[in-house]
Amino acid sequence: MSPMRATADMTRLYFQNPLNPLTHTPLGRSVAAGCELVERMTRRYGKPEFGLDETTVSGVKVPVREEVVWSKPFCNLLHFDRKLGTKQRQDPRILIIAPMSGHYATLLRGTVETLLPRADVYITDWIDARMVPANQGRFDLDDYIDYVIEMLHFLGPDTHVMAVCQPSVPVLAAVAVMEGHDDPMAPATMTLMGGPIDTRINPTAVNKLAESKGIDWFRRNVIMKVPFPQPGFMRDVYPGFLQLSGFMSMNLDRHMTAHHEYFQHLIDGDGDSAEKHREFYDEYLAVMDLTAEFYLQTVETVFITHALPKGEFRHRGELVDCSKIRRTALLTVEGEKDDITGGGQTKAAHDLCTGLAADMQAHYTQPAVGHYGVFNGSRFRSEIAPRVMDFIRTHYKRPNNAPALPESPFEVAVATKTGSTAPAASATQEKPATKAKPAPRAKAGKLSDPLAEVLLAEPQGAADDLTAISGVGPKLQTALNGAGIFHYWQIAALTDAQIAALDSKLDFRGRIERDGWIEQARKLAKQPAEG
């Protein structure tokens, strides 16, 4: 496409030349706009810059220096060093694991920019596979996990790790491996954002494609050799432009509309709107190649065999057991309208971490955002980032001894259904966008009747006044008592499956969710019931 692009660019310059009389005519502006579109759509975009030269800390602007502090053939670890001078701050140290899925780490520029005023930020800067000589060897999913562990060792204890999208699986595996080895460098908290932990839950178009094609199809159709004269000549890679094509085809109408509007902005001379389009697509269209072994292993392990949620995931031959995670607090974040990672796929991490205490877990679903909005944009800045920082500060240091596991139904329900009982996190929870539910905690076991574990034959002590819950009158209280519900903690502990079963049994017609019984019961339950 290079000759076509060069021709289009020269034509654009000709029709934008102020000495050309056609420049100021509708025809000239249309030709110039069309040629600019052709040039931009056929251009190979280079790696963007973060460009974060300053931030505001406690109301004072301070310079920021971007520096590489750790390096391997396939990744550099960047540190955004805030030049605070003599001012001492106890800000948390956050390691952001950027996705290695076609785009550069600069896609998370907004994430870094939002966290910088309140945290010491590091981020993985993955290197384009076509730029790594073949003699540097392979890079697969096992290497990825090793890199994460090595970076956590480099940064030291009480680091907080944040995985955005694809890295959620290897980061969860890395923390499980470290906890299994009682590694003192395991992170204090782990935040998983829009990650495909269990893609069997609410599968999206991406998930369905992987399952329908099979790994051999991907090996035959999307793996290519790096051409000469790139440094990675003859390395097997999954080209970034194929990944980009897949993403764009999912929302093709949206991209076509954006480019049509850009064309009109150019004709109308609307420079500001045109520049916003350029800024977004300069970032979005900059892509990198992935090593074939990493891509194929990820597709097979995460999207086809579902090894991690099935308990079959292995790292260097060692079985990864997420139940060994006991001292690293877990926060999961999802977007209500995410069409890449379906609702509930990230939250499934809580069902794997069965050894983690209830007050060390939290989940949040952000309403009205898609995949990109989980880690960037206005809602991330105003609603998600503050919750993440609250969670990190609540669990600032990794405990020396693992807290005890929850014993009561109330605590288990809060941990698996709404997140954490910690005050900083409990007010931030939202119900997931789906009623699809992963396998229950191993401790609870599977029961044929979902209500069997919550209903009682008689009250445990004095029965609670259920009419204190808005929407529950004397008649409904009698019905609930007859079904075996006498206490606030029983209602607060209801799972999605139990709500559906109780709704069907007593013909509540959606009252439980519509009137907010769960949240009311949680507030009324001063403490979990014993027994």
Side-chain angles (χ1 to χ4, degrees), residues 452-507:
E453 58 184 357
V454 73
L455 301 184
L456 301 173
E458 58 184 17
Q460 294 182 357
D464 292 325
D465 180 12
L466 302 183
T467 60
I469 298 175
S470 177
V472 177
K475 185 176 179 180
L476 284 181
Q477 177 172 251
T478 302
L480 286 168
N481 292 163
I485 292 182
F486 305 91
H487 302 283
Y488 300 136
W489 67 260
Q490 289 176 279
I491 297 177
L494 291 174
T495 65
D496 289 344
Q498 290 167 344
I499 290 173
L502 192 62
D503 206 9
S504 175
K505 183 175 183 179
L506 299 180
D507 193 25

Side-chain angles (χ1 to χ4, degrees), residues 89 93 140 160 163 165 184 242 244 330 335 414 427 433 492 496-497 502 519:
R89 289 180 60 89
R93 181 172 55 250
D140 59 15
H160 305 267
C165 188
L242 283 182
L244 179 64
L330 171 63
V414 170
D496 289 344
L502 192 62
E519 187 61 29

Side-chain angles (χ1 to χ4, degrees), residues 191-451:
T191 301
L192 309 180
M193 309 180 72
I197 300 299
D198 189 348
T199 59
R200 297 171 298 177
I201 302 170
N202 287 331
T204 63
V206 175
N207 311 146
K208 293 175 182 176
L209 174 67
E211 286 198 331
S212 64
K213 296 296 185 181
I215 195 63
D216 290 333
W217 182 90
F218 286 93
R219 187 176 287 109
R220 291 193 308 268
N221 290 280
V222 304
I223 302 303
M224 304 178 185
K225 298 283 187 183
V226 175
F228 182 81
Q230 302 295 331
F233 175 54
M234 293 305 291
R235 177 184 290 281
D236 286 330
V237 297
Y238 172 55
F241 75 86
L242 283 182
Q243 180 80 328
L244 179 64
S245 300
F247 278 140
M248 294 191 73
S249 65
M250 293 177 61
N251 298 287
L252 188 58
D253 56 339
R254 189 184 307 168
H255 292 291
M256 291 179 66
T257 300
H259 281 78
H260 178 264
E261 291 175 350
Y262 174 59
F263 179 79
Q264 288 298 132
H265 294 323
L266 291 173
I267 294 176
D268 297 339
D270 186 352
D272 290 342
S273 298
E275 188 57 31
K276 288 180 181 178
H277 176 97
R278 293 190 190 101
E279 288 177 359
F280 174 80
Y281 279 98
D282 282 354
E283 187 83 53
Y284 190 76
L285 298 177
V287 292
M288 56 182 283
D289 297 350
L290 315 180
T291 62
E293 56 272 16
F294 169 77
Y295 174 75
L296 293 174
Q297 191 176 353
T298 299
V299 169
E300 183 173 25
T301 304
V302 177
F303 297 101
I304 297 179
T305 64
H306 313 288
L308 188 63
K310 287 182 178 179
E312 301 169 357
F313 191 99
R314 291 184 177 274
H315 170 251
R316 304 292 183 195
E318 176 186 353
L319 188 66
V320 174
D321 185 0
C322 294
S323 68
K324 292 181 179 179
I325 299 176
R326 300 197 63 198
R327 288 185 285 171
T328 297
L330 171 63
L331 169 65
T332 54
V333 181
E334 296 179 344
E336 181 186 27
K337 297 182 178 180
D338 195 334
D339 58 354
I340 303 295
T341 304
Q345 292 186 10
T346 311
K347 190 186 177 198
H350 294 281
D351 295 273
L352 303 180
C353 299
T354 55
L356 200 56
D359 61 358
M360 295 185 70
Q361 302 182 61
H363 173 76
Y364 177 68
T365 298
Q366 175 60 48
V369 301
H371 189 71
Y372 190 76
V374 171
F375 58 87
N376 218 331
S378 60
R379 285 192 173 91
F380 171 77
R381 291 191 296 271
S382 63
E383 300 184 48
I384 296 177
R387 288 172 164 88
V388 172
M389 291 306 302
D390 281 349
F391 185 82
I392 286 174
R393 291 191 179 280
T394 300
H395 306 278
Y396 188 77
K397 289 187 177 293
R398 187 166 176 261
N400 293 325
N401 298 310
L405 285 171
E407 295 295 337
S408 75
F410 177 84
E411 289 179 294
V412 173
V414 170
T416 58
K417 180 178 176 61
T418 59
S420 169
T421 57
S426 62
T428 69
Q429 311 310 316
E430 291 287 343
K431 292 184 180 179
T434 172
K435 291 200 176 182
K437 189 165 180 69
R441 289 170 158 270
K443 185 176 179 180
K446 292 186 177 180
L447 301 172
S448 57
D449 180 6
L451 290 171

